[in-house]
Amino acid sequence: MDSNNWMKQLLMLGIGTTSLAAEKIREVSDEWVKDGKLNPEQAKAFMDDMMQQLKSEQGGFESQLQRQMRNMLQDLGVPRQSEMDELRGRIDRLERQVRDLENKLWRR
């Protein structure tokens, strides 16, 4: 399971949804200006407010998704990158020690 790819796809889905929502909000505000319900300045303020809310919600969604993914991967026993890096370092040190011991044996 490629968890990073899966998470990226979910984040891209969230970004796509946000873009679609922004486009619909823009269409509604343009329609309200055309119908005389809002003047252009009010429509701009409306758009700015809605976009700020969308960005805020998207950031919250992303951090919540990342937190849930970390918890799920931990529950499944998938090691974190830092744990893998630590293990690789330990393996490298052990391999060096084995080589050193082999070299000492050959020199005798």
Side-chain angles (χ1 to χ4, degrees), residues 4 70 78-90 93:
N4 283 337
R70 273 193 303 270
V78 176
R80 292 188 316 251
Q81 185 64 45
S82 61
E83 294 170 325
M84 293 297 295
D85 292 342
E86 180 185 340
L87 289 173
R88 282 188 187 104
R90 290 176 65 188
R93 284 190 299 277

Side-chain angles (χ1 to χ4, degrees), residues 7 11 14-15 57-67:
M7 189 181 308
L11 291 175
I15 291 169
E57 289 173 8
Q58 181 181 358
F61 170 76
E62 288 174 4
S63 63
Q64 182 180 8
L65 177 63
Q66 288 175 350
R67 196 169 36 256

Side-chain angles (χ1 to χ4, degrees), residues 17-32 38 43-54:
T17 303
T18 301
S19 297
L20 181 61
E23 181 60 32
K24 293 298 177 185
I25 291 168
R26 187 173 294 111
E27 289 174 11
V28 168
S29 68
D30 289 346
E31 187 68 29
W32 286 349
L38 291 178
K44 182 181 178 340
F46 172 73
M47 275 295 299
D48 291 345
D49 288 345
M50 293 302 292
M51 291 305 297
Q52 187 61 37
Q53 286 180 355
L54 280 174

